[in-house]
Amino acid sequence: QQQVKQSPQSLIVQKGGISIINCAYENTAFDYFPWYQQFPGKGPALLIAIRPDVSEKKEGRFTISFNKSAKQFSLHIMDSQPGDSATYFCAVSGNTPLVFGKGTRLSVIA
Amino acid sequence: DAGVIQSPRHEVTEMGQEVTLRCKPISGHDYLFWYRQTMMRGLELLIYFNNNVPIDDSGMPEDRFSAKMPNASFSTLKIQPSEPRDSAVYFCASSFGGVNTEAFFGQGTRLTVV
């Protein structure tokens, strides 16, 4: 059973547009919800993370929206740029190590 | 700090051979994780250590896999004997202060078993 479900699998966005990636989880014990970004040939790197005591966190063009009652969280990338083209993973953690979603391959086209 | 360092970056080996992957975590980090990434299964946790002690190895696929952490600055993941289905990218990651904090990943070892 997947502990976290991520969608979509792939996403194509025009330069300057908004990219939105969603994740849903089941276990209410999770208390750490990060998003990781991975470029080809590299390891995943933390992009932004949220704890369940807030509903939104913004860092530059990247925003996490968190809906505790729906057990969902999403990543919004504003003004998407070609350099944002990468694979994005949501993850969840409580008292166990990070469990990752299957990933979303984002392509930002000019 | 140079980050998490893994070696080798690429490994090609024949089926049945022993493979050893190496990891140097970030100095001062007290948690170390080994993950495996494949197209089909994504990023899977294999095993993790806290203060050099293995805490959970339930993700290790078979007895052919073993991991050690002899000291705070070094860990190995060994596969013996290797099989073609072990082909994947293996990542080591480390964190400080807990499992629900930022994990810093190495660049990975791409393993190909032929």
Side-chain angles (χ1 to χ4, degrees):
Chain A
Q1 181 186 359
Q2 270 186 278
Q3 296 195 58
V4 57
K5 293 184 180 181
Q6 183 173 344
S7 63
Q9 280 187 309
S10 62
L11 184 60
I12 300 174
V13 173
Q14 292 276 353
K15 178 182 175 183
I18 302 174
S19 304
I20 302 174
I21 306 171
N22 301 296
C23 278
Y25 63 97
E26 287 297 323
N27 190 340
T28 55
F30 294 137
D31 63 358
Y32 180 60
F33 304 90
W35 285 91
Y36 277 73
Q37 180 187 54
Q38 185 179 28
F39 292 103
K42 305 291 186 183
L46 179 67
L47 186 63
I48 186 172
I50 198 167
R51 303 272 179 186
D53 51 339
V54 296
S55 60
E56 185 175 281
K57 183 175 181 180
K58 184 175 181 179
E59 290 183 359
R61 297 184 294 108
F62 302 93
T63 299
I64 297 181
S65 295
F66 182 74
N67 187 328
K68 189 173 181 177
S69 60
K71 293 185 284 186
Q72 295 176 348
F73 59 110
S74 60
L75 175 69
H76 296 235
I77 306 174
M78 311 299 288
D79 187 26
S80 298
Q81 299 297 311
D84 297 331
S85 298
T87 300
Y88 293 81
F89 296 91
C90 65
V92 294
S93 178
N95 58 0
T96 54
L98 294 172
V99 176
F100 288 87
K102 289 294 180 71
T104 297
R105 180 170 290 186
L106 172 66
S107 298
V108 181
I109 56 176
Chain B
D1 203 312
V4 176
I5 299 173
Q6 292 186 244
S7 64
R9 288 295 313 278
H10 303 273
E11 177 80 44
V12 180
T13 191
E14 292 187 347
M15 183 173 63
Q17 295 299 305
E18 177 180 296
V19 175
T20 300
L21 311 181
R22 296 173 174 80
C23 174
K24 176 177 167 48
I26 293 172
S27 177
H29 281 192
D30 53 351
Y31 285 84
L32 184 139
F33 311 90
W34 282 100
Y35 283 87
R36 178 171 69 175
Q37 185 174 38
T38 61
M39 288 294 293
M40 289 297 294
R41 300 176 68 88
L43 273 161
E44 303 174 279
L45 178 70
L46 300 176
I47 185 172
Y48 78 100
F49 297 81
N50 178 217
N51 291 323
N52 314 336
V53 176
I55 303 300
D56 184 357
D57 67 353
S58 60
M60 298 284 259
E62 298 172 32
D63 290 345
R64 298 183 296 106
F65 286 68
S66 62
K68 294 181 180 179
M69 192 166 185
N71 57 62
S73 58
F74 185 65
S75 177
T76 60
L77 178 67
K78 185 177 292 186
I79 308 172
Q80 164 64 15
S82 57
E83 296 183 3
R85 60 188 165 138
D86 302 330
S87 298
V89 181
Y90 291 80
F91 287 103
C92 175
S94 69
S95 70
F96 173 73
V99 294
N100 57 348
T101 60
E102 180 177 2
F104 293 79
F105 282 76
Q107 299 236 53
T109 294
R110 180 174 293 277
L111 173 64
T112 303
V113 183
V114 297

